[in-house]
Amino acid sequence: MEFETVIGLEIHAQMKTKSKIFCGCSTEFGAPANTHTCPVCLGMPGSLPVLNRQVVENAIKLALAADFTINTRNQFARKNYFYPDLPKGYQISQFELPIAEHGRMEIEVEGAKKTIGITRAHMEEDAGKLIHDDVEPESYVDLNRTGTPLLEIVSEPDLRSPEEAVAYLKKLHAIVRYLDISDGNMQEGSFRCDANISLRPVGREKFGTRTELKNMNSFKNVQLALEYEERRQRDVLLDGGEIIQQTLLWNPDKMRTESMRGKEEAHDYRYFPDPDLVPVEIDQAWIGAVKKSLPELPDARKQRFIDTLQLPEYDATILTASRELADYFEASLADYGQAKKLSNFIGTELLREFTPERLCDCPVKPGQLAKLLSMVEEGAISGKIAKTVFADMLETGNDPEAIVKDKGLVQMSDEGELATLVQGIIEANPEQVQQFRDGKTKVIGFFVGQLMQKTKGKANPQMANKLFQDALNK
Ligand code: ADP
Ligand code: MG
Ligand code: ZN
């Protein structure tokens, strides 16, 4: 029996704002516990929330970028539940009237394009954090995170494989970072996702029973957890069993999902409109102003790279995977000018060391890379030496000229000097000379290799080739 996989994602993106969603406390990560708190985010009786305008603006940005319909009148609601990291006993979220609905986004998996529906996006506040003691049966609570603004983005169950789910997640991650509304840091939990997954027999319309996977803090974990759960559900169904609707935790060390809670414990949140907050009214002028302020988004930037820089689609896709990388590329291009050569070097040398999201850790500045490649263009160093110099730049952050000078890596382009070495190599290898004269012209590679060894890779390769050709054909 063949099964089809059905996946829908709920993503929480922590918004990048200076202060929390309903009070003036700082949202900065890593401060000593409970220092970024006030009566509002501590949930003290009598305190009142005041909405942060920037949060609404960020939500509008996402709504415009992913083709949502904006509810110009939307409302906050109380989601009631008890948990020690939630001082008020309810979370302020949105329920019946979220800020945005019916969005969509195009993804691409192995060359196939597909549009994924996005049910809704709403604003809400985050809860605090419990810290469990390793030894004692005690827990602590840090409320610095309570009231941090979140955008929850819920997809339609339109995804059909773990690959599609990861492609969707990556695309949304890129978009929030292009928009600069979230830093997207998955390790720090500012971009996290719960995945709902079910299987149904191919051809059947009705969805199967789903499970929900929590605790996935990297693209790789999302992929692995979904693959695992896909296999597990298939085995259960093939065995004639039934899927139990439950919440599962992905355990990356044991590489398996573990039950967190069953459906019988499912919450009844008793949502109701928050009486402390008036409905949010958004006028068209505000939407228009935000629209004008939107940066170029990944798809548009990719198309521009293809159209105006004549880059292959493959290169353009990689270079626009993150805003940092695309910015880095363009900054370097401004000083160097050769798009395809630059793309090749970035694709092989730079992205071997840094993911597109972590380019900020790269000590080589775009201008320094441009300088390095210009030196190759001018014949000062060979392409091969450039890679060595680049490795040095990554380690030291030094300028390429300084490294080339210090290490004596300047390309040997003195014809007289090289000709003498060429003559010596020819005399020392009569066997290969004979082979060349017998028509095995490929041995030219051997000769050039010898010269490279002697010059520690510094001989100008075009010149070396020509000198051997001339000498051997004499
Ligand atoms: P809840 O609020 O209980 O989490 P929702 O209806 O809001 O439930 O759905 C949450 C997510 O689960 C959405 O992304 C949706 O697309 C997805 N989803 C719903 N039903 C299924 C299913 N049968 N299989 C896979 N995903 C599903
Ligand atoms: Mg859910
Ligand atoms: Zn506060």
Side-chain angles (χ1 to χ4, degrees):
M1 199 185 216
E2 289 286 320
F3 292 101
E4 182 179 47
T5 302
V6 174
I7 299 169
L9 298 186
E10 293 167 87
I11 295 169
H12 285 93
Q14 195 181 103
M15 285 193 215
K16 216 168 161 179
T17 54
K18 284 205 186 73
S19 54
K20 295 185 180 181
I21 183 168
F22 299 120
C23 64
C25 292
S26 166
T27 53
E28 206 182 316
F29 183 80
N34 299 309
T35 53
H36 289 174
T37 52
C38 74
V40 173
C41 56
L42 289 175
M44 297 293 176
S47 64
L48 287 171
V50 177
L51 179 59
N52 181 337
R53 184 184 169 93
Q54 186 64 48
V55 171
V56 183
E57 182 143 335
N58 287 354
I60 297 174
K61 281 186 183 168
L62 178 86
L64 291 172
D67 280 330
F68 279 91
T69 303
I70 295 173
N71 289 325
T72 50
R73 183 188 162 91
N74 59 86
Q75 180 141 45
F76 284 98
R78 290 187 181 178
K79 179 178 179 177
N80 300 280
Y81 64 94
F82 176 76
Y83 206 68
D85 65 5
L86 190 72
K88 293 195 297 295
Y90 61 86
Q91 177 194 25
I92 304 179
S93 181
Q94 295 196 298
F95 186 55
E96 280 168 335
L97 270 177
I99 186 163
E101 289 178 283
H102 316 299
R104 67 200 141 119
M105 207 177 64
E106 190 176 76
I107 60 162
E108 190 173 337
V109 173
E110 282 165 19
K113 293 195 168 108
K114 182 173 169 181
T115 299
I116 305 301
I118 313 179
T119 318
R120 55 188 274 141
H122 68 250
M123 305 173 279
E124 63 182 24
E125 59 177 347
D126 207 347
K129 213 182 235 168
L130 289 184
I131 300 149
H132 305 292
D133 196 286
D134 287 338
V135 189
E136 301 299 324
E138 287 170 0
S139 294
Y140 305 88
V141 66
D142 177 4
L143 298 177
N144 282 349
R145 204 178 63 182
T146 49
T148 300
L150 299 177
L151 201 53
E152 178 171 339
I153 306 153
V154 183
S155 88
E156 289 291 307
D158 285 350
L159 301 155
R160 291 291 171 268
S161 67
E163 288 74 22
E164 286 189 6
V166 172
Y168 168 82
L169 191 61
K170 280 191 171 163
K171 183 82 175 273
L172 207 63
H173 186 249
I175 287 179
V176 298
R177 286 172 45 110
Y178 266 76
L179 293 171
D180 204 25
I181 59 173
S182 170
D183 67 21
N185 189 326
M186 294 178 93
Q187 281 85 45
E188 290 176 3
S190 33
F191 192 84
R192 43 192 204 260
C193 115
D194 303 334
N196 292 268
I197 174 169
S198 65
L199 261 53
R200 64 178 169 190
V202 168
R204 202 176 78 177
E205 204 174 320
K206 194 167 171 283
F207 288 143
T209 305
R210 68 181 147 133
T211 55
E212 181 171 359
L213 303 173
K214 293 215 178 257
N215 194 32
M216 297 180 294
N217 56 3
S218 72
F219 296 124
K220 197 170 149 224
N221 278 336
V222 171
Q223 173 89 28
L224 290 172
L226 284 171
E227 281 174 0
Y228 175 91
E229 188 56 16
E230 198 177 34
R231 269 196 313 275
R232 190 191 70 81
Q233 289 191 13
R234 176 169 293 129
D235 289 347
V236 170
L237 293 171
L238 285 176
D239 256 8
E242 256 180 62
I243 302 299
I244 304 163
Q245 182 169 350
Q246 58 183 330
T247 303
L248 301 166
L249 272 182
W250 172 243
N251 183 330
D253 299 321
K254 294 188 180 146
M255 289 282 283
R256 64 170 197 220
T257 53
E258 291 164 357
S259 183
M260 187 174 154
R261 57 172 179 254
K263 198 193 175 181
E264 54 280 8
E265 288 163 64
H267 293 117
D268 172 5
Y269 294 118
R270 292 167 294 133
Y271 281 100
F272 64 88
D274 193 312
D276 288 342
L277 288 154
V278 293
V280 183
E281 305 262 5
I282 302 169
D283 59 26
Q284 290 304 328
W286 192 7
I287 296 175
V290 174
K291 201 176 223 161
K292 272 208 199 103
S293 78
L294 287 187
E296 188 181 28
L297 291 167
D299 284 348
R301 203 164 188 183
K302 174 175 152 184
Q303 201 52 49
R304 179 167 61 81
F305 281 10
I306 295 170
D307 294 342
T308 67
L309 302 174
Q310 275 79 50
L311 282 175
E313 179 162 2
Y314 177 80
D315 294 51
T317 305
I318 290 177
L319 291 171
T320 52
S322 82
R323 187 173 173 178
E324 287 83 346
L325 180 56
D327 286 349
Y328 188 100
F329 169 77
E330 290 205 271
S332 194
L333 189 66
D335 291 339
Y336 172 60
Q338 310 235 24
K340 180 58 182 152
K341 284 185 185 169
L342 179 60
S343 167
N344 289 348
F345 197 89
I346 286 177
T348 55
E349 304 306 310
L350 188 66
L351 293 181
R352 186 165 55 217
E353 306 291 331
F354 301 96
T355 61
E357 287 79 27
R358 299 303 304 166
L359 266 192
C360 47
D361 296 337
C362 178
V364 179
K365 299 295 151 237
Q368 292 177 300
L369 176 59
K371 184 70 214 160
L372 175 71
L373 295 179
S374 302
M375 288 169 81
V376 177
E377 215 56 40
E378 292 153 8
I381 54 171
S382 68
K384 202 167 159 210
I385 291 289
K387 292 182 183 177
T388 327
V389 175
F390 186 67
D392 201 320
M393 291 165 79
L394 285 178
E395 228 166 76
T396 61
N398 288 342
D399 282 336
E401 298 100 316
I403 295 168
V404 167
K405 205 166 145 232
D406 281 358
K407 300 205 159 167
L409 295 172
V410 178
Q411 181 157 275
M412 288 176 65
S413 297
D414 184 303
E415 217 174 310
E417 201 179 334
L418 284 178
T420 314
L421 292 169
V422 163
Q423 203 48 45
I425 291 168
I426 286 181
E427 276 161 24
N429 297 285
E431 210 176 296
Q432 281 79 5
V433 172
Q434 195 51 49
Q435 285 175 2
F436 184 86
R437 300 213 161 117
D438 292 344
K440 253 188 91 184
T441 51
K442 271 198 197 139
V443 290
I444 199 91
F446 163 81
F447 286 113
V448 173
Q450 291 287 305
L451 182 65
M452 286 301 177
Q453 239 176 37
K454 273 213 157 60
T455 60
K456 299 202 173 65
K458 287 185 289 181
N460 178 323
Q462 286 83 28
M463 201 173 273
N465 228 301
K466 184 175 170 298
L467 286 170
F468 277 114
Q469 292 281 4
D470 291 352
L472 289 164
N473 282 320
K474 238 191 240 156

